[in-house]
Amino acid sequence: MVLASTIDFTLPLADPVLKFLLILLIILAAPLLLNKLRIPHLLGLIIAGAIIGPHGFNLVLRDSSIILSGTAGLLYIMFLAGLEIDMADFKRNSTKSLAFGMYTFLIPMILGTVVGIWVLRFNVLTSVLLASMFASHTLIAYPIISKLGISKNKAVSITVGGTMITDTLALLVLTIIVGMATGQVNDMFWIRLGVSILIFALIVLFGFPFIGRWFFKHVHDNISQYIFVLVMVFLGSFLAQVAGMEAIIGAFLSGLALNRLIPQSSPLMNRVEFVGNAIFIPFFLLGVGMLIDYRTFFTSFETIKVGLIMIIVATAAKYIAAWMTQKTFHLSTDQRSVIFGLSNAQAAATLAAVMVGYNVITGTDANGEPIRLLNESVLNGTILMILVTCTIASFAAQKGAHNIAAQDISDKEENKKESEHILIPVSNEETVEELVNLSLAIKSPQNKNGLFALKVIDNHHSDEKALKQSRRVLQTAVNTAAATDTRMKDLLRYDLSVSNAIASVVKEREITDLVVGLHKEKDIPAAFLGHIVESVLAESSVSTFIYKPAQPISTVRRHLIIIPELAEKEIGFNQIIFRLRNVTQNTGAATVFYGSEATLNALKKLLAKKSGEASYIEFNDWDDFLIVFRDIKPDDTMWIILSRKEGLSYAPAMARIPKYLNKYFQANSFVLAYPVQAGMNEGTRYLT
């Protein structure tokens, strides 16, 4: 009783434990309850914020802690949008993004300016600033898109790219209008603004990848890597503010800068998404809801009128932009819904613009009252517009994204042949994480239950120490996979022969791919791959990847892939190329293919624009293999597709590859890849 009496239950809640408990209960309950009603939980969190906020039941104040967490959530949304975008697809659709960006900027600017001058009777500066609020938008529905797994869809890439364009232009309009209203616009203003933006963009887009690659190469602690990511997000946001832009632009560009350093299938990416979606983004949505004052809608007709006009203009302009984008680029109606849903929500940049405009005083009226660039009716109408547009956006995005996701699942089921099973024999704790990371990169995104880690203990030399070490290595592999929500089965085998144990598991578990590693400090054995791997290659026909890591796969700039002549005629060629395609899509690194003209032509048809940034170089003479080494740069990984001696694509010069690698390629990672070949182990499955 004494302890209970010390807790302060007065409203608004002041006890930090009780306040945080209430917020967590809302974050927990909103998705569970609203999913049953088919209402986007994002909308539920905004409404919950209005209910518990200072204009509702006054349970929680929108204090500095809510603002801080909400700001982090807003920056997180923009950062994830840049981080999850497919860079190759983004570049392919850059002209489409530019077109959409101009549609979604110019149409609201024109409509908004006309309505501001002729309907609301505002002056020119106020009307242009109001129009810029309609032009900007916040990707508030992006978590819905991400959760449904369509973040790489063309419509999403177009919208995200267009968002950067329209928000940047809208915020530049804000800066210019405020400067004009306060008399600060002169020749020096334009020079200072242009130079600061240029320096900011160069630092983020070129400096951040350099710093990030160095950090991820040298620091492998999971917590340190995550904190580093947060530092880069907020540093980019701060630099944007220094350059005279809004922080959200810096967060988005930070995501683009780190895009290739955080693979989609990596544990770090999983942590970034998990923390953002669990904590930071819900805090932002609650904070937006706390701004809503429903009482103004019943006490001021002017607020209702202005708010309704703003809603109609903003929604109509964004719908027209989405419709024109659909017609211009022949997109589906579901893709149009996604574009409209992502671009209709007004929140971050709109709030920034209205607060800045409200605080700019241009003079006084006859009664001595301040004349603001944006008056109270616009301020309150903006809050109403935020609520309605976020509601419309959430429903539109969820409907379109759900239909696209359902179609994608249907297509995958039609094209799916067999499940892939990837086996990783592990022995050394230093290399096990990189072996698992490579396996995560080559697997298909939908494969969440097909990885196996194998540790073989020699029957003749088994003891308690060997058993403990084996279990520790297996647990490391399992934990690394679990960090990406992938279940890995650990297998412990006693056998007199390691190769026999591996071959047996390949048959027992219907393994389709084998990933084995070489120690970082060891050369490739003189007897080519050593008797263990050579025995496995002889006894099993599964696709085999022999990996020697020199750096984390996430820090690789380019994958150089050397393919022998006639490799396209091997029955496992398609499978191994699709595994390589998964790697390039997961890491975002550029790809350079070396091969004969016939092989490269077959490769281009097979990949059909799905190989990311790929280039093709004709290469035929394996007797002069050192030519390839001239192209090697730091942070390159070399993939050499080889053949068993009985294979169609086998060349005697392949026997010299280990010598070349030991002599010229010690500082880089490399993978020796053996595709499935005819005449071995009938019944092996061939995947596409």
Side-chain angles (χ1 to χ4, degrees):
M1 291 296 293
V2 176
L3 291 175
S5 64
T6 63
I7 301 176
D8 185 4
F9 288 98
T10 59
L11 300 180
L13 297 174
D15 184 79
V17 176
L18 189 57
K19 185 164 64 173
F20 199 68
L21 173 62
L22 175 63
I23 292 173
L24 288 179
L25 286 173
I26 292 172
I27 294 173
L28 172 65
L32 297 177
L33 295 177
L34 296 176
N35 283 345
K36 295 182 179 180
L37 301 175
R38 298 182 180 275
I39 298 175
H41 70 276
L42 304 180
L43 176 60
L45 290 171
I46 294 175
I47 295 174
I51 294 173
I52 68 171
H55 305 300
F57 289 108
N58 198 29
L59 299 179
V60 179
L61 286 177
R62 193 174 186 270
D63 55 17
S64 58
S65 62
I66 298 294
I67 295 173
L68 175 62
S69 302
T71 301
L74 169 61
L75 298 179
Y76 231 100
I77 291 175
M78 297 302 295
F79 174 69
L80 284 176
L83 191 63
E84 293 185 348
I85 195 171
D86 187 327
M87 290 302 294
D89 190 54
F90 180 68
K91 290 184 177 181
R92 282 196 295 270
N93 293 314
S94 58
T95 55
K96 297 182 178 67
S97 292
L98 178 61
F100 170 70
M102 298 313 297
Y103 283 153
T104 199
F105 174 74
L106 292 176
I107 294 172
M109 285 297 298
I110 295 171
L111 285 179
T113 302
V114 170
V115 169
I117 294 174
W118 297 100
V119 178
L120 296 175
R121 303 297 180 182
F122 292 152
N123 60 45
V124 175
L125 290 183
T126 299
S127 298
V128 173
L129 181 56
L130 181 67
S132 73
M133 292 164 54
F134 301 148
S136 66
H137 58 254
T138 303
L139 298 172
I140 204 167
Y142 189 82
I144 296 175
I145 302 298
S146 180
K147 186 176 181 180
L148 290 172
I150 66 163
S151 58
K152 294 183 182 298
N153 186 272
K154 182 190 295 184
V156 179
S157 298
I158 291 173
T159 310
V160 170
T163 297
M164 179 180 64
I165 295 169
T166 189
D167 280 2
T168 301
L169 293 175
L171 293 170
L172 283 176
V173 170
L174 169 64
T175 303
I176 295 167
I177 293 297
V178 171
M180 294 175 67
T182 55
Q184 297 178 359
V185 174
N186 51 37
D187 292 342
M188 195 62 196
F189 171 85
W190 297 108
I191 296 173
R192 185 171 60 251
L193 181 63
V195 171
S196 61
I197 291 175
L198 178 62
I199 294 174
F200 155 70
L202 290 175
I203 291 174
V204 174
L205 294 179
F206 294 96
F208 278 26
F210 177 81
I211 296 171
R213 184 168 281 107
W214 179 90
F215 187 89
F216 290 136
K217 271 187 178 182
H218 295 88
V219 179
H220 304 294
D221 177 69
N222 295 329
I223 296 176
S224 297
Q225 288 186 347
Y226 178 73
I227 298 300
F228 171 79
V229 170
L230 286 184
V231 168
M232 301 308 284
V233 174
F234 281 87
L235 178 59
S237 303
F238 173 72
L239 291 176
Q241 291 180 320
V242 172
M245 306 174 70
E246 278 299 309
I248 56 175
I249 301 299
F252 178 76
L253 289 183
S254 297
L256 289 180
L258 298 180
N259 183 286
R260 289 178 171 171
L261 299 176
I262 306 178
Q264 298 296 313
S265 60
S266 67
L268 180 57
M269 184 66 174
N270 185 266
R271 294 185 186 98
V272 169
E273 290 182 327
F274 175 79
V275 176
N277 291 324
I279 301 294
F280 289 124
I281 294 175
F283 265 91
F284 165 67
L285 298 171
L286 286 170
V288 170
M290 289 180 183
L291 291 170
I292 298 172
D293 185 359
Y294 66 91
R295 290 171 295 187
T296 59
F297 308 144
F298 302 102
T299 58
S300 172
F301 175 75
E302 183 68 15
T303 295
I304 296 175
K305 184 187 80 170
V306 173
L308 289 176
I309 291 174
M310 292 173 69
I311 291 168
I312 293 170
V313 173
T315 302
K318 293 298 183 180
Y319 184 84
I320 293 171
W323 179 82
M324 290 183 67
T325 304
Q326 178 204 0
K327 296 302 180 183
T328 302
F329 303 114
H330 309 291
L331 304 176
S332 67
T333 54
D334 289 324
Q335 288 176 311
R336 182 188 66 201
S337 294
V338 167
I339 294 174
F340 173 63
L342 283 173
S343 62
N344 187 47
Q346 307 286 326
T350 306
L351 278 174
V354 75
M355 294 306 297
V356 170
Y358 181 75
N359 290 324
V360 173
I361 298 175
T362 58
T364 56
D365 60 17
N367 298 321
E369 295 293 327
I371 300 174
R372 301 179 183 275
L373 190 57
L374 295 176
N375 60 32
E376 289 188 8
S377 296
V378 175
L379 176 63
N380 293 324
T382 299
I383 303 302
L384 178 61
M385 179 178 69
I386 288 173
L387 175 61
V388 175
T389 56
C390 287
T391 301
I392 296 172
S394 298
F395 279 106
Q398 179 166 276
K399 179 182 177 182
H402 184 272
N403 291 341
I404 292 173
Q407 183 61 44
D408 287 347
I409 292 173
S410 176
D411 292 342
K412 287 175 182 176
E413 289 298 323
E414 289 179 7
N415 296 329
K416 188 177 178 181
K417 294 183 179 179
E418 298 282 354
S419 297
E420 61 188 14
H421 293 160
I422 301 174
L423 176 64
I424 312 160
V426 295
S427 60
N428 192 298
E429 287 187 75
E430 294 183 15
T431 59
V432 62
E433 287 193 19
E434 279 307 309
L435 286 176
V436 175
N437 286 333
L438 178 65
S439 302
L440 293 170
I442 68 173
K443 76 176 185 65
S444 302
Q446 62 269 25
N447 181 4
K448 295 291 184 180
N449 199 34
L451 269 63
F452 300 83
L454 171 66
K455 182 68 175 76
V456 182
I457 300 178
D458 191 333
N459 271 340
H460 286 162
H461 301 92
S462 61
D463 54 26
E464 188 65 23
K465 182 179 179 181
L467 180 60
K468 288 182 179 180
Q469 191 270 343
S470 298
R471 287 177 174 168
R472 188 167 59 248
V473 172
L474 286 173
Q475 191 59 47
T476 300
V478 170
N479 292 343
T480 303
T484 66
D485 289 334
T486 301
R487 183 186 175 192
M488 175 175 283
K489 300 178 182 66
D490 55 318
L491 307 173
L492 186 64
R493 297 280 294 241
Y494 288 89
D495 205 304
L496 294 175
S497 168
V498 175
S499 60
N500 182 66
I502 295 173
S504 298
V505 172
V506 166
K507 295 177 181 178
E508 293 167 7
R509 301 286 179 166
E510 297 182 295
I511 299 300
T512 58
D513 300 87
L514 182 64
V515 178
V516 298
L518 296 173
H519 194 283
K520 292 182 180 179
E521 305 301 327
K522 292 182 179 179
D523 291 342
I524 300 178
F528 200 37
L529 300 172
H531 70 280
I532 293 178
V533 176
E534 289 194 336
S535 296
V536 171
L537 288 172
E539 296 176 21
S540 175
S541 67
V542 298
S543 294
T544 303
F545 301 88
I546 302 165
Y547 182 36
K548 184 176 182 181
Q551 66 185 83
I553 193 170
S554 62
T555 63
V556 172
R557 289 179 182 270
R558 297 190 307 166
H559 295 285
L560 309 183
I561 303 170
I562 298 92
I563 307 174
E565 195 171 4
L566 301 178
E568 71 276 12
K569 299 188 180 298
E570 301 278 10
I571 59 174
F573 179 73
N574 287 15
Q575 176 180 331
I576 212 157
I577 292 300
F578 287 137
R579 297 292 188 263
L580 290 171
R581 184 188 65 186
N582 290 339
V583 172
T584 57
Q585 288 180 338
N586 279 321
T587 62
T591 310
V592 182
F593 292 100
Y594 294 82
S596 66
E597 182 179 1
T599 301
L600 295 180
N601 288 336
L603 193 62
K604 292 175 184 177
K605 293 179 181 178
L606 186 62
L607 294 175
K609 296 184 180 181
K610 293 183 178 180
S611 58
E613 291 184 48
S615 56
Y616 302 86
I617 298 176
E618 192 168 338
F619 171 74
N620 294 304
D621 191 2
W622 278 60
D623 289 320
D624 195 12
F625 192 82
L626 292 178
I627 293 176
V628 178
F629 288 94
R630 298 172 188 170
D631 296 336
I632 295 171
K633 300 176 182 178
D635 301 320
D636 285 349
T637 288
M638 178 174 285
W639 297 69
I640 306 175
I641 298 181
L642 298 171
S643 169
R644 297 165 177 85
K645 290 185 178 181
E646 300 82 4
L648 289 172
S649 57
Y650 179 76
M654 291 180 179
R656 296 194 292 272
I657 297 300
K659 176 183 175 182
Y660 295 149
L661 293 174
N662 285 333
K663 187 173 182 180
Y664 300 104
F665 211 67
Q666 287 287 352
N668 297 70
S669 302
F670 64 80
V671 183
L672 306 179
Y674 288 82
V676 174
Q677 294 178 298
M680 301 186 64
N681 286 24
E682 296 296 329
T684 301
R685 296 171 296 173
Y686 315 117
L687 310 180
T688 59

